[in-house]
Amino acid sequence: MIVDMTDVRLPPGVGWTALLTAYARAQEQRRADPLFDDPWAGPLIGTALGATGGELPRLGPARDDGTSVLWEMFGAYFAAGRTPFFDDQVRAGVADGAEQVVLLAAGMDARAARLDLPEDVRVYEVDTAPVLDFKAAVLGGTGTDVRRRTPVVADLREDWPSALAGAGFRPGRPTVWIVEGLLMYLDAQACDRLVTTAREASGPGSRIAVEYFRRIPEMDSVPPVDEAEKEALELILGLFRSGPSADPATWLGGLGITPAQVTEVPDELRRLGRPVPAVLDLELTTDPMRIWLAAGTF
Ligand SMILES: C[S@@+](CC[C@H](N)C(=O)[O-])C[C@H]1O[C@@H](n2cnc3c(N)ncnc32)[C@H](O)[C@@H]1O
């Protein structure tokens, strides 16, 4: 897969949080035993970072050399720890009859191309213009089949349902909503609003999948290996807000959504036969970071 790097530049506004998760997926793709297939993460990251192959350059806390406890945790969480869970939710929702998938804060998510969804299922990607334009340029350069992909430029703090409808989304129809890597950046009221808006925009037979921290992690939750990594962690945690106000069953239930599956990242890693980083392990750490993964139907 070849990307012409001379024509694609990372525009201002493509936040590195979207690139961090793609970095982890690119690393997963290079493993001998990948848990999912994401051949687009590598070109997206390579283009963004100006890398031509070999080891990926460092990006904030993300490193390709296995030396960082912080990145071993984030990498495991972003890739094996949550990607298969959300993939399964998309597949289950579509198998149950969903006609459309909405990726809220899609970032570099390539599910529109990589999940082999039925021809008539549309995937709406809501994010900012620089993110979606960059992604379109890179995917276009790889010759990827992007027919199912519909970019929706919208600010999730504003009237994004109108933008979604304007892009062809059909309100009232069964939909799968993917909220991956977003709720930790929102306060409790904004989380309620987002999920309620999604529920009201779609009809019976819909599904929503979310992920969030049980509480905001502390700076000393993970030992940074150097000063630069400490700064990166400060930057990440500085973006964090409270997230939803309760555990997933209580929270989703209170918003009129029936909890269908609730798990946590370490359980997901164990299920998939992957090691659990110590900072996430309830058995090894007295005060571990806890990250919910949850899905509900309505
Ligand atoms: C951590 S990334 C997650 C991306 C993707 N869901 C994933 O898991 O790989 C967060 C994404 O949220 C987007 N984002 C943040 N605030 C936003 C807003 N107010 N409106 C739309 N998108 C937003 C960013 O551009 C970024 O792509």
Side-chain angles (χ1 to χ4, degrees):
M1 197 177 283
I2 297 165
V3 181
D4 181 358
M5 308 227 316
T6 54
D7 290 329
V8 185
R9 293 275 179 276
L10 183 65
V14 176
W16 56 284
T17 60
L19 294 174
L20 282 184
T21 53
Y23 197 108
R25 293 192 290 269
Q27 288 181 313
E28 180 73 23
Q29 181 72 25
R30 291 164 165 212
R31 289 179 62 117
D33 59 347
L35 291 166
F36 54 86
D37 199 30
D38 187 349
W40 293 281
L44 285 161
I45 281 295
T47 307
L49 303 184
T52 48
E55 200 173 280
L56 293 170
R58 187 171 169 180
L59 173 69
R63 308 164 177 244
D64 210 15
D65 58 11
T67 59
S68 164
V69 175
L70 179 63
W71 183 249
E72 293 311 293
M73 184 280 285
F74 274 125
Y77 156 38
F78 292 151
R82 76 180 193 196
T83 303
F85 175 85
F86 284 101
D87 285 356
D88 288 349
Q89 296 304 327
V90 173
R91 293 194 187 99
V94 168
D96 286 349
E99 301 162 1
Q100 41 196 6
V101 178
V102 182
L103 309 173
L104 292 175
M108 302 299 148
D109 184 327
R111 290 192 173 95
R114 70 181 183 77
L115 286 192
D116 201 19
L117 297 170
E119 283 283 322
D120 52 349
V121 171
R122 293 227 62 82
V123 180
Y124 296 91
E125 300 187 353
V126 183
D127 210 301
T128 59
V131 168
L132 295 172
D133 291 350
F134 170 74
K135 194 163 143 185
V138 177
L139 294 186
T142 63
T144 304
D145 178 358
V146 287
R147 274 173 300 174
R148 276 180 217 90
R149 173 178 187 259
T150 303
V152 182
V153 173
D155 189 323
L156 288 166
R157 294 164 300 189
E158 294 172 4
D159 181 18
W160 55 269
S162 298
L164 198 53
F169 173 85
R170 292 186 296 158
R173 303 299 305 163
T175 305
V176 180
W177 298 87
I178 296 297
V179 192
E180 183 182 18
L182 177 64
L183 296 182
M184 60 286 276
Y185 305 115
L186 305 179
D187 64 27
Q189 284 158 338
C191 291
D192 288 359
R193 244 190 336 267
L194 189 88
V195 169
T196 302
T197 304
R199 183 176 56 73
E200 288 173 354
S202 43
S206 295
R207 173 180 295 254
I208 189 162
V210 302
E211 152 244 2
Y212 58 95
F213 284 71
R214 198 180 176 109
R215 62 174 169 72
I216 301 175
E218 310 281 338
M219 237 341 255
D220 58 5
S221 303
V222 193
V225 295
D226 58 25
E227 207 41 46
E229 197 167 276
K230 183 163 170 269
E231 276 173 32
L233 185 59
E234 274 168 358
L235 207 58
I236 293 174
L237 296 185
L239 298 171
F240 270 52
R241 300 292 175 266
S242 65
S245 54
D247 67 89
T250 310
W251 179 54
L252 292 175
L255 296 173
I257 292 170
T258 308
Q261 194 182 345
V262 178
T263 184
E264 294 190 49
V265 166
D267 297 328
E268 191 62 3
L269 290 169
R270 280 193 198 93
R271 180 181 76 82
L272 296 167
R274 289 290 174 87
V276 178
V279 288
L280 296 177
D281 196 332
L282 293 180
E283 286 156 23
L284 293 181
T285 314
T286 46
D287 190 19
M289 286 200 206
R290 297 190 65 171
I291 308 159
W292 300 114
L293 297 164
T297 53
F298 51 98

